[in-house]
Amino acid sequence: MAFVRGMWKLLVGIKDGLVLLAMLLFFGLLYAALSSTPNAKAIGEGALLLDLAGTIVEQPAEPDPIALLAGDNSLVREYRRSDLVRALEAAATDNRVKAVALDLDVFTGGGMVALGDVASAIDKVRQAKKPVIAYATGYSDDSYLLAAHASEVWLSPQGGVLITGPAGQYLYYKGLMDKLGVTANIYRVGTYKAAVEPYSRTDMSPAAREANQALSSALWERWLDNVRAARPKAQAAAYAGAPGAAIAAAQGDMAQAALKAGLVDKLGDRSAFGKRVAEIVGAEDADVPGSYKSIAYDDWAAAHPAPTTGEIGVVTVAGTIVDGEAGPGTAAGTTIADIVRKALKERDLKALVVRIDSPGGSTLASEEIRQAVADAKGKGMPVVISMGSVAASGGYWIATVGDRIYAEPDTITGSIGIFGILPSFQGLAQKLGINADGVKITPLSGEPDVVHGPSSEVNQILQLGVESAYRRFITLVSKTRNIPVQRVDEIAQGRVWDGGTARQLGLVDGFGSLEDAIAEAARRAKLDPRSAKAVFLEKEKSWGEKLFESFAAEQPPAESARDVFTRAALRPGMLMTRAVADMEQMMRGSAIQARCLECPAPAAGRERPSSGLMAVLKSWLG
């Protein structure tokens, strides 16, 4: 019997050893494949296929390893704006790329500035006399803005174009919080600081309505100007202003209505679209209708990577600004500050460019980032700010450190204001029959009281803290922008501005892209802008992070509606997802924030509230 047990243990040991060896071999081969860079010379001729099955962002977030291992592909893919621009610019000058196939069937959008940069890169391909053919079953505002820059716009005969404009609904959680028994104790400064209104009102205040109407109108005019410049014959304004009449004139055929309005050039299914591309670049397989020779975007982008060395360091502040450490796509104060300090220590940098695409967040983290950049500036290093689609509240706080601030007319900025939210649960405690009692040694003993609500002394302290932070904010703006404090207070008050108005108000110095900011930084560092190179300063990825990134890129795209009606029908669910994410942010976020909640939200795929809170809210919502 002992002999049998011994043999069994031996066999089990051999089995475990073989499994371990197989796993090590598998991950070793995977890492080797991951570490290898595609050979640019090995890429054949054809159409560069931009199958944008996701959203365009300034800095993609790290994929969730647990979700990937569980086979969850519900997170939409995020495409880095600069990677897309670089890939398109390389395609314009490379003879192997005969055309660009722009597949927007499941494209989920991006910020206005990011879309404008990619659209400009598409223009460069066309200027090189290379066709850009766009296709989608249905076009919305974001996808149509890109498609408008194509030389041919194809639409499925079963599809349509649905243009809504930048305005829309905002979520207000007061009724939900009353149902949950949650009280939002609010501390604010700023007439227009509408970030707190969702927790204190059930509708938009007159001041917030005025500000949002002005912002939406300015962004809408910019969108129309962009489309008019790209497609002068497209009747976009008329179609968007009376879509019912246009579709009725086409007997309800949305595709024909779009064709008659000049919004699209051709109606055809995916096979017809493929045949059209094949006419230009050749068929991949004669036996497969609609196949064409294509160059995969991932291979092309990997063969044209961003520079890893340079004299101009580019620091990216993307996503909500939070305290502590976090991965890319979230602007964690400690992480970004450490990146700046490490780069200054280990690299021979001559200037810094801070690229901001953030609605703000924690005031402490915003100041931590600003101070790290200010330390570099204190050593004589020029600092130039480049604003992306959004650079508001805490994002603008950081921007004040710049020697010069560049924005785009489509940039959403300002929101110079401070607020604080401290949740308490007296209503929920009453519903559950919970009470609390105790003794006090000082006025702050047991505070903040989440069962009975914070005391008047706590309310006073937090309100004073918010007012102090606001005074520091407007004083910072006054000193760095050379604007009297009283004038800053007038244009601040938490109000959000478009880039064009912000320039008129003196909040930014001029219009310009990231490349313009890099060139300005080079000039200030006494370098030749034509030869100076920029390097993106980011946290180095471990082999494990690269591994999961590779897995994520290979995953099939998340299921997404292709026709415009279904996409519109999905909006209530997307709004509810954001509601839960916003509620969780209130529960666990910084007590005092410089954040713009009325600014566009981060990429939809990032709004994944924790399962615990989601379960609680679902139970309350029925």
Side-chain angles (χ1 to χ4, degrees), residues 315 335-345 352 372-373 376 537:
V315 183
T335 298
I336 296 177
D338 287 347
I339 288 172
V340 173
R341 295 189 183 101
K342 182 179 179 181
L344 294 177
K345 181 180 179 181
L352 278 179
V373 178
L537 306 177

Side-chain angles (χ1 to χ4, degrees), residues 100-125:
V100 171
L102 187 60
D103 193 330
L104 300 168
D105 225 10
V106 288
F107 179 57
T108 54
M112 283 283 285
V113 170
L115 293 172
D117 288 347
V118 175
S120 296
I122 292 173
D123 290 341
K124 292 180 181 179
V125 176

Side-chain angles (χ1 to χ4, degrees), residues 487-501:
R487 176 56 179 160
V488 174
D489 186 38
E490 292 173 359
I491 63 180
Q493 296 292 316
R495 181 158 181 170
V496 184
W497 305 100
D498 65 278
T501 306

